């Protein structure tokens, strides 16, 4: 009898501990969620704005090279169409697929420009880890949930914790709710200009090797292409300039091959001598500075306007 009483007492303590843990998790997670979605600046705010608010006719998608290379103000002035840059540092095709699918559920832009790399479809573990940026948006729609699930088989279970989607985001959420981000790193309709000037030789790089093609990324790109054709959206795949002398691809360029096969506009600026011969347009070998972005945005739109039928 005494032993049975001790077991019941022990189980009650466990249940009490679990209850307290649940309450703390719920309270802290709910608070973090509230302040996450009240941010008014920063990358997280721009992701939310891209999903929920923008109605721009021209949308830019991509990673940091999209975020820092495409100036919406120039695009608007040259086309007479509204523009927003959804690019986010360190987030590539799978992330952009989730944002794109969320946007077209709400409205249909007229032009979608996706900044890609020649090895965009390569299989890399890091790209799946970086999908954590989508965790605060879990259960919003099928595309987001399916993309998050690619991180691993236990993501749904982990997300039972209200804190988990905001893990390690406390500081950025706090800053995003102040004016500090706007002063420290202002954006122009999603575009964040860079100011440094690269003053070193070309990096020693002989080729851009395409590794094993990631089928999830390939399927995401094909679905974006299909959706754009279905909804009459002009899709343009662009490789923006690099300050790298040789960017030949070993084993072919799968992005270009998919674009050609599906009759999608594809523009590659990596061999453009205007940029290759002018280091002062770059802040580092992979990113244009504000002067470079101004010139590139102008040249890109001139090319697209010439290509209009």
């Amino acid at each position: 009898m005494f032993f049975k009483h001790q077991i019941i007492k022990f189980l009650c303590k466990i249940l009490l501990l679990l209850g307290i843990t649940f309450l703390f998790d719920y309270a802290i997670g709910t608070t973090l969620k509230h302040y996450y979605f009240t941010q008014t600046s920063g990358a997280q705010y721009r992701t939310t704005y891209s999903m929920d608010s923008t109605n721009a006719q021209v949308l830019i998608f991509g990673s940091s090279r999209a975020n820092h290379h495409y100036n919406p103000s120039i695009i608007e002035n040259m086309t007479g169409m509204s523009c927003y840059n959804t690019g986010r540092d360190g987030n590539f095709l799978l992330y952009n697929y989730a944002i794109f699918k969320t946007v077209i559920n709400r409205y249909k832009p007229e032009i979608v420009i996706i900044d890609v790399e020649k090895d965009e479809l390569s299989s890399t573990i890091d790209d799946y880890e970086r999908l954590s940026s989508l965790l605060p948006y879990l259960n919003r729609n099928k595309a987001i949930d399916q993309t998050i699930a690619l991180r691993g088989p236990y993501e749904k279970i982990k997300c039972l914790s209200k804190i988990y989607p905001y893990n390690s985001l406390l500081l950025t959420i706090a800053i995003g709710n102040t004016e500090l981000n706007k002063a420290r790193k202002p954006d122009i309709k999603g575009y964040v200009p860079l100011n440094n000037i690269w003053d070193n030789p070309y990096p020693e790089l002989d080729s851009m090797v395409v590794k094993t093609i990631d089928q999830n990324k390939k399927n995401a790109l094909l679905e974006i292409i299909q959706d754009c054709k279905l909804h009459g959206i002009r899709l343009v795949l662009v490789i923006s300039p690099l300050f790298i002398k040789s960017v030949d691809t070993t084993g072919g360029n799968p992005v270009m091959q998919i674009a050609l096969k599906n009759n999608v506009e594809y523009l590659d600026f990596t061999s453009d001598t205007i940029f290759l011969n002018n280091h002062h347009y770059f802040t580092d070998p992979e990113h244009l500075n504000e002067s470079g972005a101004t010139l590139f945005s102008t040249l890109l739109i001139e090319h697209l306007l010439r290509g209009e039928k």
Side-chain angles (χ1 to χ4, degrees):
M1 180 67 72
F2 174 78
F3 182 68
K4 182 177 179 181
H5 176 74
Q6 290 297 104
I7 292 177
I8 293 174
K9 187 177 179 180
F10 174 75
L11 290 176
C12 287
K13 288 181 178 179
I14 293 294
L15 289 175
L16 178 61
L17 179 62
L18 289 175
I20 292 172
T21 301
F22 170 81
L23 289 175
F24 269 102
D25 178 82
Y26 181 84
I28 295 172
T30 301
T31 300
L32 288 172
K33 179 178 181 179
H34 169 77
Y35 285 106
Y36 181 95
F37 287 103
T38 58
Q39 293 180 89
T40 57
S41 63
Q44 295 159 4
Y45 162 75
R46 293 194 295 272
T47 293
T48 302
Y49 184 87
S50 298
M51 288 187 183
D52 295 343
S53 301
T54 184
N55 286 296
Q57 295 163 290
V58 181
L59 288 181
I60 311 299
F61 291 87
S63 60
S64 59
R65 286 167 45 76
N67 186 233
H68 305 305
H69 290 189
Y70 299 77
N71 187 332
S73 295
I74 292 173
I75 295 171
E76 289 181 343
N77 290 336
M78 294 183 68
T79 64
M81 303 168 71
S82 57
C83 178
Y84 190 77
N85 189 326
T86 77
R88 179 164 174 172
D89 291 10
N91 288 265
F92 297 91
L93 186 58
L94 294 173
Y95 166 88
N96 288 289
Y97 164 80
I99 302 298
F100 169 82
K101 295 291 284 188
T102 302
V103 168
I104 66 167
N105 283 341
R106 187 166 52 82
Y107 85 103
K108 307 300 183 288
E110 296 184 34
I111 300 175
V112 164
I113 299 171
I114 304 179
D115 187 276
V116 295
E117 301 183 23
K118 289 188 175 181
D119 61 347
E120 187 75 33
L121 301 184
S122 294
S123 181
T124 58
I125 296 176
D126 284 351
D127 287 355
Y128 288 91
E129 290 297 321
R130 289 168 177 166
L131 292 175
S132 60
S133 57
L134 293 172
L135 287 172
Y137 308 94
L138 184 70
N139 298 324
R140 179 165 294 209
N141 60 51
K142 182 179 178 181
I144 290 177
D145 290 354
Q146 288 179 338
T147 304
I148 290 173
L150 296 174
R151 297 190 77 230
Y154 304 111
E155 284 303 300
K156 277 279 190 181
I157 296 174
K158 293 177 182 178
C159 285
L160 291 175
S161 165
K162 298 295 183 181
I163 294 176
Y164 176 70
Y166 312 97
N167 187 31
S168 76
L169 297 181
L170 179 60
L171 180 60
T172 53
I173 290 173
I175 294 174
N177 278 276
T178 70
E179 296 296 314
L180 182 59
N181 260 343
K182 294 180 180 179
R184 182 177 63 91
K185 191 180 289 188
D187 72 87
I188 303 167
K189 298 181 179 179
Y191 158 68
V192 178
L194 301 175
N195 298 313
N196 293 335
I197 296 177
W198 179 256
D199 197 21
N200 293 296
Y202 295 111
E204 294 183 5
L205 181 65
D206 295 327
S207 64
M208 246 187 195
V209 179
V210 173
K211 305 169 188 176
T212 303
I213 292 178
D214 187 314
Q215 194 62 43
N216 291 322
K217 295 179 182 179
K218 181 179 179 180
N219 290 341
L221 180 58
L222 290 172
E223 189 166 342
I224 289 172
I225 292 172
Q226 181 182 19
D227 285 343
C228 286
K229 289 183 176 181
L230 178 64
H231 298 295
I233 300 169
R234 183 181 181 183
L235 174 63
V236 187
L237 303 180
V238 181
I239 304 183
S240 52
L242 292 164
F243 192 67
I244 298 174
K245 195 70 172 180
S246 174
V247 290
D248 294 332
T249 304
T250 301
N253 181 344
V255 175
M256 181 181 69
Q257 292 167 0
I258 288 174
L260 292 174
K261 184 176 181 180
N262 290 276
N263 196 29
V264 173
E265 293 178 76
Y266 174 85
L267 301 173
D268 185 349
F269 285 83
T270 55
S271 299
D272 193 320
T273 55
I274 293 175
F275 296 97
L276 283 176
N277 294 335
N278 293 282
H279 65 88
H280 57 270
Y281 287 136
F282 292 85
T283 195
D284 63 48
E286 295 186 0
H287 296 95
L288 296 168
N289 57 30
E290 187 171 9
S291 296
T294 296
L295 177 60
F296 168 65
S297 297
T298 301
L299 294 176
L300 172 66
I301 297 306
E302 286 177 348
H303 187 100
L304 295 184
L305 291 175
R306 286 197 302 271
E308 285 185 346
K309 298 180 179 179

